[in-house]
Amino acid sequence: MRSLFFLFLISFQLFSQENETIVINGKLLERGTKKPLKDVNVFLLPSKFKAITLSDGSFEFAKVPKGECELIINLVNYNKLSRVNICSEASEMLTLYLEKTFSTTFQTTVKGKYKKRDDQSQSLTQEEFLTMPGSFGGDPVRAAQNLPGVARTGASAQIVIQGASAQDTKYNINGHQVPLVFHFGGLSSVIIPEAVDRVDLLPSGYGPEYSRAIGGVVGLTTKEPETDRTKAMAYVDLFNAGGLIEGPIDDKSSFLVAGRYSYIGLVLKAAAKKNDNFQLTAAPTYLDLTSIYERKINANNKFKTTLIGSRDELKLVLNKAAQNDPALRGNFYNRTGFFRVIPEFTTEFDNKRKLENSVAIGKDYVLVDIAGQYLNIDSSVVTQRTEFSQELSTKYKYFIGLDNQFSWTNVKINLPNTFSVGGVPNPFSVGDKRKFSVTNSQSLIGAYLRQEIKTSETSPWTFLPNVRVDHFSLTKELFLDPRFQMRYRIDDSLYLRASWGTYHQPPRPQESDRLYGNPDLVSPRSIHYTAGWIKDFRAGASEGLEITNNFFLKDLKNIIVPDITKRYSDRGTGEIYGSEVQVKYKWSEWSSQLVYTYLNSTRTIPGYGKRPSEFDQTHNLNLIASHNRNKWTYSARLRLVSGNPYTPITGGTLDSDNDVYIPTRGQIYSQTFSLFNQLDIRIDRKYIYDTWILTAYLDIQNVMNAKNPSSIQYSYDFSQSEKVNGLPILPTLGIKGEF
Amino acid sequence: MKKTLLLLQFLLLISCGDDKLKKVETLNSFRVLAIESASPELTQSAGLSVTVRPYVSDINGNGRIINAVIDGCIDPGISLGAEVTCDENASKVSVNYSINTSTLPKLNSGWGSYSAGLAIPDMIFTNKSNRDKYNGVPYIVIFNFTVDGVIFKSFKRILITSRTSLNSNPALNGLLLNSSTLAKPNLNDYLSATVSGVENYDFVLVDGTVENRNETLTMAWYVSSGELDISKANASESVKYKSNQSSSPLLIVGVLRDERGGVSVLDNLLQ
């Protein structure tokens, strides 16, 4: 009996053990970013239990038999995760980190695929520009220079689109115009790349939403701050350092703060110590700051405020007169900057009606002082945009909006108005000396209507009869600019498109100023014609081939040119035509892109005849390839571009009073530099830890150290010359940590 | 913004160095260093004429006769970008000129003789604003020297004004070495000048306001051999000689300018 009791007791204990259950609680996060992964299946073997993660990544198995088990998570685009020995004891909350098979340099949450509104626009997302070779550490605007139609501008801090002039491109941030997009030297744009969601390029034929740019528009859109977790990033490289922090404030609000400071000046200062010609008294610096606050007020209303600030400063002493012009000697000081506060309020009444309002308030300032000759501009700026859109039916949708700019500017100037034609300026000291102080205001009022019309629901045709009205207060002109676009869908993979439109831009302030320029100028005008097609061979897959081809023609009128009696005249004309091809191919771990632009760009200047324009780059080829494997990314870019035209100088005339030689110009832009060729490579290596990611990158520009002559240096009397090469091999080494 | 970019380009250029290009301060071939008029400014009146003379250096020319044509005309708008020429200018007058450099004792360098008089047209003030008349309407004199088949072009403005107080040439009184009597410089020696004649004048700005200004005198330095750290300096500034001298004669030329067309030249040949 006694032995029977013990047998029962042992059997009971064994039975109890077999049926004892535990609870397993866990949280599934993305490795490195700590991003909660929701709606992920978590399996427990051999019991075949399944749990699904919630929005915060948490999951629970309620009654798991104690004993041997294996937890398995197998999610697309992530490495498989397996855990054993977790069912023997009830444990505290498990934290599991799932690692992505491939990740971009900066891990950002994609809020949804950007729906392109304008057929003509080309965009780069953060994922694309952060890893693009030759973009100097993932700069969005530098990366945009790889897009079709964008000229090679060297160290210029400007974007030149489809053979236009540099001043024909306008820049905006969140739809609001800003005076500049690059810090000096064009090394980096004025917003830290990780705070930018995408960069858009609007070349010829763009829609009615923007204007005042006869060449095109470059737009940066800041990102929406993360709402599911707080994250931060910091980086340091040879030229600058910066950081970003973003995250939720509460259930409805989120924030982002980012900043960057460049110490490139310290490098230059060290270099300048060996140079007798100039002394850097203060190292050149630049800095920028971005902050974003976003609040989802309710299901229909959203509020976002963006603050952007940028400042560049340089101070030095020119010991030796630059270009032997005595006027260019002594203390040199340059300060350039701007800031904008951009509140935006968006109301989505329903899925067919939307109202967007935004205002940008800020200041622009420029100070250039060369030994007492100065230009000091201090401008207060308010820009305003409103757009209402409504889809009345599946056949008709419209967007109606306002795009206004107001500015109040104080200008103090003591500078000669220096004549320049064909890229050859006269010496500073020969110029028409101007000294005055003036306060003025100007308004640029714009309104537009964009319409998308289909003749029937099944029609392959889409017509966009758009129109824009602009009023420029300085020139007292009112314009009605029709901009017509159309699209024809042959099938889901092949589209044809065409556009035609008129564009006006006001003269630059110095050109139309009463005391410095010619107040009788009228605004330059351009008529754009484009036609093209898009073929997507991917058939809905993410891999495969895409081809885009576009033809463009631009007819330029009233181009502002130098004039020897009125300082400026509007009697210049121009013609630009060309074609662009973009071929993208993505396969497995490889992606590649071929971008080729052919163009012919001419200007006719009274007295000089019809000549090539400054950026008449007949052939412009970019080949880009990248390979992602494990935690390595290798990418390369090869650029082959026709050499820029230049104006030869055939001699000089001594101006005895100013002790300087005035150049004698040959035929304007009649000669060209040799073919520009440059190979850039970039290597990214990612080290992913559970709660943070370290990325090291090496970006080498001009790996082959190609000479690439880009300008000509002359002796004091222009009787001797030598070509000046572009940037030599330039490596940038950086590390970036994300938390 | 464009001006800022231009300036940055200048910085890039000067930082690249210009070792292969000839130096502005070195005298080793035919050059015009300055053009002088006895009166840089003249009060407008009927029957005005002007005479000018050039300071030339022709060190390796072995002494020769160099011919020139001098053209005079109302400024076609050089400050606004017009080409430096009197061609197609209704006010154009021309005279022939020559200089015999073998008569110039300092390594064939020195002043040429004064030119024949160039008549300034009475209509020089036609269609000019009061501001232009007060500040001065430029009449230009162009020297076209032909040397070995090459034309060397240089010009000077003579301002015709409604003012009665006229600019006069500044005075370059002496050249100094290390603040003492000029002698042949050696490495790291300093050249300087004693000057006088800074004038005060009124200038009408583009907005009509009258600004009272003082002239700023500048010096341009030239040497027949060796290098200077800077060749163009303020008149009160000294410049460093950057070479060890050889035994050959050294010509040092200083040209003083008052930024209004006034000029003065002093040269020294040091054995």
Side-chain angles (χ1 to χ4, degrees):
Chain A
M1 187 63 190
R2 197 172 176 178
S3 57
L4 192 67
F5 174 75
F6 278 113
L7 187 64
F8 171 77
L9 197 63
I10 290 166
S11 308
F12 179 77
Q13 279 184 332
L14 285 171
F15 180 81
S16 303
Q17 269 188 352
E18 278 181 7
N19 290 287
E20 190 178 346
T21 60
I22 58 172
V23 176
I24 297 177
N25 288 306
K27 201 169 203 180
L28 182 63
L29 304 174
E30 188 176 85
R31 189 162 189 241
T33 66
K34 298 178 288 175
K35 184 172 83 175
L37 297 172
K38 69 171 183 176
D39 298 332
V40 178
N41 293 328
V42 182
F43 293 100
L44 207 57
L45 299 176
S47 55
K48 297 183 181 176
F49 289 154
K50 184 177 102 173
I52 299 174
T53 58
L54 303 176
S55 60
D56 63 349
S58 63
F59 63 89
E60 181 182 284
F61 292 100
K63 291 180 179 177
V64 179
K66 218 172 176 182
E68 294 287 318
C69 74
E70 182 181 11
L71 181 147
I72 291 178
I73 301 171
N74 206 349
L75 181 64
V76 177
N77 292 329
Y78 286 84
N79 293 332
K80 183 180 173 183
L81 186 143
S82 169
R83 280 287 179 89
V84 293
N85 299 329
I86 58 169
C87 303
S88 52
E89 293 288 339
S91 61
E92 293 178 2
M93 165 124 12
L94 284 171
T95 302
L96 303 174
Y97 295 100
L98 200 58
E99 187 176 321
K100 259 190 163 179
T101 48
F102 167 69
S103 43
T104 54
T105 303
F106 183 66
Q107 302 297 312
T108 188
T109 304
V110 178
K111 304 280 182 184
K113 189 171 167 61
Y114 166 62
K115 193 179 173 195
K116 191 163 120 172
R117 179 197 284 190
D118 196 324
D119 278 353
Q120 301 301 318
S121 73
Q122 302 156 36
S123 302
L124 287 174
T125 62
Q126 188 183 90
E127 189 175 354
E128 291 169 314
F129 63 69
L130 280 180
T131 53
M132 189 159 288
S135 63
F136 222 76
D139 187 86
V141 189
R142 296 267 295 188
Q145 292 175 328
N146 292 331
L147 290 171
V150 180
R152 184 190 67 79
T153 52
S156 165
Q158 290 157 316
I159 296 283
V160 173
I161 302 170
Q162 291 172 330
S165 299
Q167 67 266 22
D168 298 342
T169 305
K170 294 291 180 287
Y171 308 101
N172 67 53
I173 295 174
N174 292 354
H176 293 269
Q177 191 176 316
V178 292
L180 49 97
V181 74
F182 277 122
H183 291 294
F184 59 60
L187 286 181
S188 61
S189 54
V190 293
I191 305 184
I192 196 165
E194 287 78 2
V196 176
D197 181 54
R198 66 172 200 277
V199 54
D200 298 310
L201 177 76
L202 296 172
S204 54
Y206 64 87
E209 294 88 342
Y210 298 98
S211 195
R212 302 157 194 148
I214 60 174
V217 177
V218 174
L220 294 170
T221 302
T222 55
K223 65 171 291 191
E224 295 177 8
E226 297 288 345
T227 54
D228 55 1
R229 69 198 190 284
T230 299
K231 60 190 291 257
M233 177 281 299
Y235 78 94
V236 58
D237 66 23
L238 293 178
F239 299 106
N240 53 55
L244 175 150
I245 183 166
E246 62 180 322
I249 297 171
D250 54 37
D251 288 349
K252 293 182 175 177
S253 308
S254 55
F255 78 100
L256 179 150
V257 177
R260 177 169 50 181
Y261 180 80
S262 169
Y263 34 78
I264 186 173
L266 299 176
V267 179
L268 291 176
K269 201 169 181 178
K273 278 183 182 171
K274 298 173 186 170
N275 196 318
D276 290 338
N277 294 347
F278 69 94
Q279 299 167 344
L280 285 170
T281 53
T285 58
Y286 65 75
L287 58 92
D288 54 61
L289 176 73
T290 307
S291 79
I292 303 168
Y293 169 79
E294 186 172 281
R295 182 171 179 80
K296 289 184 173 57
I297 298 165
N298 53 40
N300 301 103
N301 295 291
K302 189 173 78 174
F303 176 73
K304 179 183 177 185
T305 297
T306 304
L307 168 69
I308 306 282
S310 166
R311 176 188 168 103
D312 288 56
E313 191 170 28
L314 171 67
K315 191 189 284 185
L316 54 83
V317 178
L318 284 170
N319 294 332
K320 205 167 205 171
Q323 294 202 331
N324 296 306
D325 186 343
L328 293 176
R329 183 169 176 264
N331 292 315
F332 173 89
Y333 180 66
N334 177 217
R335 191 183 70 220
T336 309
F338 75 93
F339 79 85
R340 293 287 186 278
V341 181
I342 312 173
E344 301 168 67
F345 193 85
T346 306
T347 302
E348 288 196 50
F349 301 102
D350 50 46
N351 60 3
K352 292 184 176 175
R353 291 180 305 151
K354 189 176 179 183
L355 177 66
E356 293 171 278
N357 276 296
S358 61
V359 178
I361 303 160
K363 282 185 89 71
D364 303 339
Y365 55 88
V366 176
L367 172 60
V368 183
D369 190 325
I370 315 142
Q373 299 189 84
Y374 53 82
L375 167 67
N376 188 352
I377 300 173
D378 189 331
S379 191
S380 300
V381 182
V382 175
T383 60
Q384 180 264 329
R385 294 188 71 90
T386 297
E387 183 182 272
F388 177 73
S389 59
Q390 183 171 23
E391 188 174 339
L392 285 176
S393 71
T394 53
K395 293 186 289 185
Y396 182 72
K397 186 176 183 180
Y398 72 90
F399 305 77
I400 188 163
L402 296 171
D403 170 20
N404 302 320
Q405 289 184 28
F406 307 91
S407 61
W408 298 266
T409 306
N410 291 310
V411 181
K412 292 176 186 166
I413 194 165
N414 180 17
L415 275 183
N417 192 336
T418 307
F419 178 82
S420 177
V421 70
V424 180
N426 275 358
F428 216 55
S429 50
V430 177
D432 181 27
K433 294 173 179 59
R434 304 262 134 181
K435 182 180 179 184
F436 60 89
S437 171
V438 67
T439 301
N440 59 37
S441 61
Q442 76 162 318
S443 63
L444 303 167
I445 306 292
Y448 61 88
L449 172 65
R450 177 186 182 84
Q451 304 174 92
E452 295 183 10
I453 302 169
K454 289 185 133 202
T455 50
S456 70
E457 286 186 18
T458 56
S459 170
W461 290 98
T462 305
F463 298 100
L464 297 95
N466 308 316
V467 67
R468 182 172 173 110
V469 180
D470 275 294
H471 180 263
F472 301 161
S473 68
L474 277 186
T475 54
K476 300 180 181 66
E477 292 170 295
L478 180 68
F479 304 108
L480 180 70
D481 287 342
R483 294 180 191 173
F484 185 79
Q485 298 176 325
M486 56 190 266
R487 184 187 312 149
Y488 181 77
R489 184 178 66 86
I490 293 175
D491 58 43
D492 284 343
S493 70
L494 180 59
Y495 287 84
L496 308 181
R497 66 187 188 194
S499 67
W500 162 77
T502 306
Y503 302 80
H504 285 88
Q505 73 182 21
R508 289 180 291 178
Q510 68 269 32
E511 292 166 344
S512 61
D513 184 81
R514 178 177 65 86
L515 298 174
Y516 197 81
N518 177 0
D520 300 323
L521 295 176
V522 299
S523 297
R525 186 193 75 181
S526 178
I527 302 175
H528 296 182
Y529 308 86
T530 75
W533 53 272
I534 304 166
K535 174 68 179 173
D536 190 342
F537 293 92
R538 295 177 300 173
S542 61
E543 295 182 351
L545 181 69
E546 282 178 272
I547 303 176
T548 307
N549 183 206
N550 193 43
F551 299 87
F552 56 87
L553 169 67
K554 298 196 263 193
D555 182 17
L556 313 177
K557 295 275 190 281
N558 303 331
I559 300 300
I560 311 292
V561 292
D563 185 277
I564 60 168
T565 55
K566 299 174 179 174
R567 294 183 285 279
Y568 298 100
S569 88
D570 50 29
R571 296 188 299 139
T573 58
E575 185 181 80
I576 305 167
Y577 62 85
S579 178
E580 314 157 332
V581 181
Q582 183 177 37
V583 181
K584 288 183 183 175
Y585 185 67
K586 196 168 183 186
W587 178 71
S588 183
E589 295 163 336
W590 289 89
S591 67
S592 59
Q593 205 174 137
L594 178 152
V595 178
Y596 172 73
T597 306
Y598 168 85
L599 66 80
N600 180 289
S601 173
T602 56
R603 301 288 183 280
T604 301
I605 304 173
Y608 296 92
K610 186 176 180 179
R611 296 287 159 205
S613 75
E614 184 181 4
F615 292 103
D616 178 37
Q617 297 170 354
T618 310
H619 304 284
N620 186 337
L621 176 69
N622 283 313
L623 290 169
I624 301 164
S626 67
H627 179 241
N628 306 306
R629 189 167 183 82
N630 297 327
K631 298 178 179 69
W632 289 89
T633 303
Y634 308 90
S635 51
R637 176 183 71 164
L638 175 66
R639 301 193 90 182
L640 297 171
V641 188
S642 301
N644 278 344
Y646 69 91
T647 303
I649 298 176
T650 57
T653 300
L654 174 67
D655 176 348
S656 170
D657 302 317
N658 292 305
D659 193 20
V660 76
Y661 281 77
I662 299 173
T664 305
R665 298 167 184 83
Q667 295 273 10
I668 300 298
Y669 291 125
S670 59
Q671 297 190 14
T672 55
F673 291 108
S674 56
L675 179 78
F676 174 89
N677 69 95
Q678 182 169 312
L679 177 66
D680 306 319
I681 63 168
R682 183 181 165 107
I683 301 168
D684 289 88
R685 171 67 164 98
K686 198 176 280 289
Y687 301 88
I688 301 176
Y689 304 96
D690 282 348
T691 56
W692 69 291
I693 300 172
L694 178 70
T695 306
Y697 62 87
L698 174 66
D699 189 325
I700 308 177
Q701 301 208 26
N702 196 10
V703 175
M704 308 299 287
N705 201 24
K707 299 295 180 201
N708 293 324
S710 59
S711 62
I712 296 181
Q713 187 175 7
Y714 291 91
S715 61
Y716 63 90
D717 60 353
F718 300 100
S719 64
Q720 294 179 340
S721 65
E722 63 182 12
K723 288 185 176 162
V724 178
N725 296 327
L727 282 178
I729 183 169
L730 184 60
T732 313
L733 186 65
I735 55 170
K736 183 183 290 187
E738 298 168 41
F739 310 91
Chain B
M1 184 53 60
K2 195 168 182 180
K3 286 200 163 59
T4 309
L5 293 172
L6 279 173
L7 289 166
L8 289 172
Q9 282 178 356
F10 283 135
L11 295 179
L12 288 172
L13 284 174
I14 60 169
S15 62
C16 290
D18 53 357
D19 289 336
K20 292 178 186 170
L21 302 176
K22 60 186 185 183
K23 307 284 182 193
V24 66
E25 71 268 25
T26 307
L27 300 172
N28 54 12
S29 59
F30 177 80
R31 282 175 72 176
V32 175
L33 301 187
I35 301 172
E36 183 201 69
S37 165
S39 303
E41 291 182 340
L42 295 169
T43 301
Q44 208 278 339
S45 64
L48 281 178
S49 70
V50 63
T51 59
V52 292
R53 62 172 182 166
Y55 184 99
V56 301
S57 174
D58 189 30
I59 284 179
N60 293 317
N62 297 319
R64 52 186 167 174
I65 295 173
I66 299 172
N67 294 314
V69 174
I70 305 175
D71 294 331
C73 62
I74 298 171
D75 180 6
I78 293 168
S79 66
L80 294 172
E83 196 181 337
V84 183
T85 179
C86 288
D87 296 345
E88 300 173 16
N89 192 319
S91 63
K92 178 181 175 180
V93 291
S94 296
V95 295
N96 291 324
Y97 184 83
S98 70
I99 186 168
N100 184 351
T101 61
S102 63
T103 63
L104 303 176
K106 295 172 181 172
L107 299 183
N108 305 121
S109 304
W111 287 111
S113 56
Y114 274 104
S115 67
L118 293 136
I120 296 172
D122 296 343
M123 41 75 77
I124 193 166
F125 272 7
T126 305
N127 296 328
K128 297 297 180 188
S129 65
N130 287 335
R131 174 178 175 264
D132 287 341
K133 291 174 188 170
Y134 187 86
N135 291 336
V137 177
Y139 180 83
I140 61 167
V141 178
I142 306 171
F143 279 86
N144 298 286
F145 283 101
T146 303
V147 181
D148 298 330
V150 178
I151 294 177
F152 288 77
K153 203 168 173 182
S154 51
F155 77 101
K156 169 166 187 60
R157 302 171 188 81
I158 291 94
L159 294 181
I160 312 304
T161 172
S162 58
R163 274 180 285 121
T164 50
S165 59
L166 301 176
N167 183 28
S168 53
N169 288 318
L172 178 53
N173 304 315
L175 305 180
L176 304 173
L177 178 73
N178 299 330
S179 304
S180 301
T181 307
L182 186 65
K184 268 179 104 169
N186 221 318
L187 183 66
N188 295 332
D189 280 343
Y190 283 90
L191 299 169
S192 59
T194 54
V195 303
S196 60
V198 175
E199 293 170 287
N200 179 273
Y201 64 101
D202 286 336
F203 187 84
V204 182
L205 303 179
V206 285
D207 59 3
T209 57
V210 178
E211 187 173 79
N212 187 258
R213 296 176 172 179
N214 282 320
E215 287 177 343
T216 303
L217 302 184
T218 58
M219 279 288 289
W221 291 91
Y222 301 92
V223 289
S224 57
S225 63
E227 284 183 39
L228 303 172
D229 63 342
I230 50 175
S231 60
K232 296 175 182 183
N234 291 327
S236 58
E237 202 173 357
S238 54
V239 302
K240 187 160 67 174
Y241 192 74
K242 287 174 64 182
S243 306
N244 276 315
Q245 254 307 310
S246 65
S247 57
S248 58
L250 173 68
L251 176 67
I252 296 177
V253 183
V255 179
L256 180 70
R257 289 181 171 85
D258 67 3
E259 72 179 357
R260 292 202 291 157
V263 66
S264 182
V265 179
L266 206 56
D267 52 12
N268 266 286
L269 183 63
L270 304 163
Q271 299 296 331

